[in-house]
Amino acid sequence: MSGPTIRRARTADIRGIRRLVAPLAERRVLVAKDAVTYYEGVQEFRVAEDEDGTIVGCGALHVMWEDLAEIRTLAVATDHLGSGLGGQILEGLVDDARELGVQRLFCLTFETHFFTRHGFEPIEGQAVTADVYAELLRSYDEGVAEFLDLERVKPNTLGNTRMLRTL
């Protein structure tokens, strides 16, 4: 038995991604999203698929700026926790970031020990220049608002840690 295969997501994987994410979104560990949002961002995702074709892990890389992207929706099925699968998905996303020319990765997480093991460090304040901050304010994306630490998203991000990794 070889274990799950990590690959780029396809539209047929969205239902499996949503099933995996739903209990985590209910517990407010991950942000709940509408189905259309997953379909619009399918190209950002990598999935882990077991031998039966079940999605047992996922993660997304969302580019925010020229040198900055966010790791989003990183999730692993309960029966695969502690197997290293989350780290494998994350490193696949890091490879994607490098391929795109991204130099810094952001995440907003409760899983600080996991991300610290993978080179992320907590951040305070802004990680971008004032000019870039002003440009990012124009984004409609809630993840960008979380990155900017805007007051309007704080009720939804209580307890999360803003972390950054430089590649």
Side-chain angles (χ1 to χ4, degrees), residues 24-123:
L24 297 167
E26 286 174 19
R27 293 192 343 247
R28 299 178 59 100
V29 172
L30 291 178
V31 176
K33 297 177 186 167
D34 294 321
V36 67
T37 304
Y38 285 105
Y39 285 109
E40 288 173 344
V42 68
Q43 69 281 356
E44 299 179 351
F45 275 86
R46 284 188 176 257
V47 295
E49 179 181 44
D50 72 7
E51 296 84 4
D52 300 329
T54 302
I55 301 301
V56 295
C58 67
L61 177 75
H62 180 78
V63 175
M64 299 168 77
W65 199 250
E66 177 181 13
D67 66 337
L68 180 68
E70 180 183 7
I71 300 295
R72 292 184 172 179
T73 320
L74 186 58
V76 172
T78 305
D79 57 342
H80 288 274
L81 289 174
S83 70
L85 186 58
Q88 291 171 4
I89 295 168
L90 176 59
E91 289 310 313
L93 297 170
V94 169
D95 290 344
D96 293 346
R98 286 188 173 112
E99 187 177 315
L100 291 169
V102 171
Q103 298 153 354
R104 297 181 304 150
L105 295 174
F106 166 77
C107 70
L108 183 68
T109 185
F110 291 106
E111 300 295 332
T112 56
H113 295 296
F114 170 83
F115 281 98
T116 298
R117 284 195 317 269
H118 291 278
F120 286 76
E121 297 178 358
I123 59 170

Side-chain angles (χ1 to χ4, degrees), residues 128-135:
V128 293
T129 65
D131 291 348
V132 172
Y133 183 91
E135 290 289 335

